[in-house]
Amino acid sequence: MTPDLPAIFTRLRAELPAATLAHLRNPGPSGQDSLLVAPACLVAVCQFLHDSADLDFDLLSNVTGVDWPDPALTDAVALPAEGSAAAVGGFLEVVYHLYSTSRRVGPLVLRARSVDRAEQVHIPSVVAVYRSAEYQEREIFDLFGVKFTGHPDLRRILMWDEFLDHPMRKDYLAPDDYQYEPTPHDAVLEKAKQHYPATSES
Amino acid sequence: MPELDEDQLLHVSLGPQHPSTHGVFRMNVLLDGETVVSLKPVFGYLHRNHEKIAEGITYLSSMPFTDRLDYICPLTNNWAYAQAVEKLAGIEVPERAEYIRVITAELTRLINHSAFVGFFLGDMGAWGSALMYAFREREKILDLFEDLTGARMMSNYMRFGGCRNDLPDGWAAKASVLVNEFPRFLDELENLVTGNEILIARTQNIGALPKEALINGGITGPMLRAAGVAYDIRKVEPYGIYDRFKFRIPLGTTGDCYDRLMIRLLELRESLAILRQALDQLPEGAYIHPKAKIRNFKPPVGEAYARIESPKGELGFYLISDGSAKPFRYRIRPPSFINLTLLEDMCLGLDLADVVLILGSIDIVLGEVDR
């Protein structure tokens, strides 16, 4: 059963007057609308949804990141909240899918957005409320580069610790030389030069 | 608890190449004598960034990749992905295709759960016999899959709006024979397992956590039901046509390793009940929606999250479409990976030998954990 989002929205407005919320409509046929939550009040909103006896969203099933590098695309697809201009230069987004196991309701979709994609990529961690976010937030940190403040153990999880970039970002450039070739091919050598101009001479 | 002497602790790296880690999974375990003081899983040895690959190719091209997530159960992975795309694009599925999907998914559950029992006994030291019996039955089901999809494991069978091809002649009759013979194997397997004194001594009161902690940790599937939480997506959010079948959800009481084993054995019987009903009711008709688009398929702008009860737990796909032929965002909610969240909590204070059992009872496949 899909949750009654307008009712939850009004409820949250009443219970947490300080929270900045927006209702985002899903243009597609799935009908899964979402709630945009300002990062500053994300933990409070989650705590309320978890603790409230009649809402009882006890299962945070899925947490994932989305990279929105292009403001034009964001306007068309991600639908910024009414009244707020689309973030110039894009942003990173974390999406949460909540369910209630006792009331059999879900998914309630929450979204939180970072300010930009370079420096201000901090989103508060919800591990204290939902333990299931622990590894998933680590995965988002690893692959998207979102920094979760308050996470107990924020390390890379799928890539190795020495890895520098965030491969799920849209502008990630995959290395061309990841495949070993005993006798490098001309085109591969050309490509490798773009990445390693200094070492390609040898 | 007395203060731990750092010098007396032993650091053991269990895996990545270890016969009981079910693949390339590593656990950094800190031991005080035999007792686990800390356990940190290390992931990523099988990481290929499946999600990134999928965002660079068309929707349908990802279908064969989903086979390789949980490679014991490719058909349920196919179904989860097809369902998410159908939700995203608003595609209808014909009745016959829904029946074929249920039949293949429940046959997959038979494979997974019986192989689980085999692997689990292997983890306990009974290497071989139980697993070989399970694989003998698995082989018969894989023969059916080969007749249907052309491949034993990497089936690439579901399509958006139905299935790739119809059941071959006589397939349903062969499947009925298998379903009727399967209970005999189950009796045999249960005899081998349930009354065994060593098994009971090794598994009871091992690895149990309270219900609330499990739900909070995102644990789904047989692991959660073993602790007594009646949460099966086939019942709570009946996808496909699961609301047409009569079946029960077996529940455990304590959630220890013994309950987790028994839940799988009981679920096998319920899967057989679903299979019997589905094979009896199987209607004639189209196996794929006549207007389903294979080439140049572009779902409308929007997003969708869809989930199914895979044999390992809640398998979900989250897709965002920007209106082009490739998904803008493609995310898998892997049950194996998220079920590992509470691994350390389950193992603390137990012996190293129990860690192997607890990991076995979670039932992971590394293709899905690392993606």
Side-chain angles (χ1 to χ4, degrees), chain A residues 42-160:
Chain A
L42 178 69
V43 177
V45 167
C46 285
Q47 189 78 52
F48 173 74
L49 292 169
H50 179 269
D51 293 347
S52 153
D54 58 321
L55 292 175
D56 196 25
F57 283 98
D58 49 0
L59 173 67
L60 173 58
S61 174
N62 181 41
V63 187
T64 190
V66 187
D67 182 17
W68 298 100
D70 180 4
L73 186 71
T74 316
D75 281 341
V77 183
L79 298 177
E82 281 165 33
S84 75
V88 179
F91 52 83
L92 298 168
E93 183 175 58
V94 184
V95 185
Y96 305 82
H97 287 87
L98 292 136
Y99 284 88
S100 164
T101 57
S102 57
R103 291 169 57 238
R104 304 186 167 188
V105 169
L108 174 64
V109 191
L110 302 182
R111 329 178 80 96
R113 290 173 178 174
S114 69
V115 179
D116 60 21
R117 296 170 72 242
E119 295 297 319
Q120 293 166 285
V121 288
H122 299 272
I123 302 269
S125 163
V126 298
V127 176
V129 188
Y130 294 109
R131 181 75 194 280
S132 54
E134 187 179 336
Y135 289 169
Q136 303 191 69
E137 283 183 353
R138 270 179 70 185
E139 187 184 319
I140 299 165
F141 165 72
D142 187 359
L143 303 182
F144 288 90
V146 176
K147 295 204 174 81
F148 289 96
T149 45
H151 189 285
D153 183 22
L154 197 63
R155 288 180 289 134
R156 286 189 178 270
I157 189 163
L158 292 174
M159 305 302 283
W160 54 102

Side-chain angles (χ1 to χ4, degrees), chain B residues 211-251:
Chain B
K211 288 179 199 185
E212 294 73 26
L214 290 174
I215 295 175
N216 197 260
I219 310 288
T220 47
M223 288 271 289
L224 184 62
R225 294 192 287 276
V229 182
Y231 196 69
D232 186 316
I233 300 165
R234 291 175 294 173
K235 283 279 188 201
V236 300
E237 196 185 286
Y239 54 94
I241 45 163
Y242 271 111
D243 46 356
R244 297 190 193 177
F245 304 118
K246 261 185 84 173
F247 63 102
R248 295 169 296 178
I249 301 299
L251 293 180

Side-chain angles (χ1 to χ4, degrees), chain B residues 19-284:
Chain B
S20 66
T21 56
H22 298 246
V24 277
F25 179 63
R26 179 166 152 222
M27 290 172 283
N28 278 332
V29 191
L30 206 56
L31 292 174
D32 174 26
E34 270 284 288
T35 313
V36 177
V37 181
S38 135
L39 183 149
K40 296 289 173 209
V42 182
F43 302 90
Y45 292 95
L46 213 57
H47 180 54
R48 59 230 184 249
N49 218 340
H50 172 64
E51 295 179 5
K52 183 79 177 177
I53 296 171
E55 285 171 16
I57 56 181
T58 61
Y59 283 87
L60 187 60
S61 318
S62 299
M63 188 59 86
F65 280 109
T66 62
D67 293 334
R68 283 133 180 104
L69 287 171
D70 173 358
Y71 40 77
I72 306 277
C73 329
L75 282 157
T76 45
N77 301 340
N78 281 184
W79 191 4
Y81 178 49
Q83 201 199 17
V85 176
E86 281 152 11
K87 218 173 201 176
L88 182 72
I91 302 173
E92 298 280 315
V93 182
E95 201 182 14
R96 185 176 171 85
E98 294 278 25
Y99 273 93
I100 298 175
R101 285 178 176 192
V102 168
I103 292 167
T104 52
E106 293 306 321
L107 284 172
T108 304
R109 204 178 308 273
L110 293 185
I111 291 182
N112 183 75
H113 284 5
S114 45
F116 164 83
V117 177
F119 284 123
F120 189 63
L121 264 78
D123 289 343
M124 214 175 295
W127 182 251
S129 43
L131 184 64
M132 286 304 127
Y133 286 127
F135 269 38
R136 183 189 67 197
E137 300 305 313
R138 173 176 180 258
E139 209 57 38
K140 295 175 189 166
I141 301 175
L142 289 182
D143 284 347
L144 282 176
F145 285 170
E146 190 174 5
D147 285 354
L148 178 62
T149 70
R152 282 152 42 89
M153 288 171 78
M154 300 300 129
S155 51
N156 178 20
Y157 180 59
M158 309 281 177
R159 289 291 177 268
F160 314 135
C163 304
R164 196 182 67 211
N165 53 282
D166 204 356
L167 299 179
D169 289 341
W171 193 89
K174 272 194 260 176
S176 296
V177 171
L178 182 128
V179 168
N180 289 330
E181 284 175 355
F182 207 84
R184 206 161 55 175
F185 157 70
L186 274 188
D187 293 344
E188 192 182 54
L189 190 67
E190 270 182 31
N191 264 337
L192 190 68
V193 170
T194 45
N196 188 313
E197 248 177 77
I198 302 171
L199 182 131
I200 291 173
R202 285 291 309 274
T203 55
Q204 282 190 344
N205 300 321
I206 295 292
L209 282 180
K211 288 179 199 185
E212 294 73 26
L214 290 174
I215 295 175
N216 197 260
I219 310 288
T220 47
M223 288 271 289
L224 184 62
R225 294 192 287 276
V229 182
Y231 196 69
D232 186 316
I233 300 165
R234 291 175 294 173
K235 283 279 188 201
V236 300
E237 196 185 286
Y239 54 94
I241 45 163
Y242 271 111
D243 46 356
R244 297 190 193 177
F245 304 118
K246 261 185 84 173
F247 63 102
R248 295 169 296 178
I249 301 299
L251 293 180
T253 45
T254 57
D256 57 11
C257 288
Y258 186 77
D259 278 10
R260 289 176 196 158
L261 177 68
M262 291 310 292
I263 286 292
R264 266 110 178 179
L265 284 171
L266 294 168
E267 280 191 2
L268 282 168
R269 305 242 178 221
E270 298 307 317
S271 287
L272 287 172
I274 298 173
L275 277 169
R276 268 189 220 105
Q277 296 169 52
L279 285 164
D280 278 351
Q281 300 167 11
L282 184 67
E284 291 298 321

